Amino acid sequence: AMPFRTGSADVCLSSNALEHVPDPWRMADEMVRVTRPGGVVYLSFTNWLSFWGGHETSPWHYLGGERAARRYERKNGHPPKNRYMRSLYPVSVADALAWAKSCREVEVLDAIPRYHPRWAQGIVRVPGLREVATWNLVLILRKLPDTRDE
């Protein structure tokens, strides 16, 4: 829970943190809660199935998070900073898009692959491909006006 009043922020930004919390969509919901109607939520993260999804254990994370961590430790003499299911959690583009679509408090302004050229933005719309080719997803959301009192 963020220590901010509901609707107190014009902009709420998270860059590369979502994959480091055990309940990423609760974190995203909390970002929406603290954003005022008309405000913007910017959420970016490295998705698990991308080449860099395992962070410093990449690309070995494709063989499993724990296996990749053991390999990293053998090779480097110390465990990785980001540990699968302890400080690094598997998030996906599909889950992010589904969460954004189901969140009735926001409209999706954009969903783009961060670090890609503009011509490659369409890959976010291709299931399967987007999970591997979208190294880092950016969701840009606008908080909708509160209509409960109308």
Side-chain angles (χ1 to χ4, degrees):
M2 291 182 174
F4 304 111
R5 288 187 334 270
T6 298
S8 61
D10 292 328
V11 176
C12 193
L13 180 140
S14 172
S15 178
N16 297 327
L18 191 72
E19 70 269 27
H20 297 286
V21 296
D23 191 348
W25 311 120
R26 182 173 168 224
M27 177 185 147
D29 285 338
E30 188 66 0
M31 291 175 66
V32 171
R33 180 190 68 79
V34 302
T35 304
R36 71 164 173 78
V40 174
V41 175
Y42 177 99
L43 182 61
S44 76
F45 65 92
T46 303
N47 59 303
W48 180 249
L49 290 177
S50 75
F51 187 77
W52 294 109
H55 290 39
E56 69 267 41
T57 65
S58 294
W60 305 102
H61 71 292
Y62 285 125
L63 301 176
E66 282 303 317
R67 187 175 183 184
R70 287 191 305 273
R71 181 191 181 283
Y72 180 92
E73 189 165 357
R74 277 192 316 273
K75 185 173 169 69
N76 295 286
H78 59 87
K81 177 176 75 170
N82 298 289
R83 294 300 301 257
Y84 180 70
M85 298 307 286
R86 291 185 224 161
S87 60
L88 182 61
Y89 299 88
V91 291
S92 71
V93 174
D95 287 346
L97 296 174
W99 168 81
K101 192 175 203 178
S102 73
C103 185
R104 295 177 180 220
E105 296 179 72
V106 298
E107 67 175 315
V108 178
L109 299 179
D110 219 341
I112 55 175
R114 189 175 180 185
Y115 311 121
H116 284 42
R118 185 172 296 282
W119 59 263
Q121 291 181 358
I123 64 171
V124 172
R125 294 188 297 274
V126 183
L129 175 63
R130 66 184 171 209
E131 300 301 335
V132 178
T134 302
W135 166 13
N136 190 288
L137 181 72
V138 175
L139 284 177
I140 303 171
L141 313 166
R142 180 175 319 280
K143 177 116 177 230
L144 296 170
D146 187 357
T147 58
R148 288 180 286 179
D149 297 330
E150 293 178 5

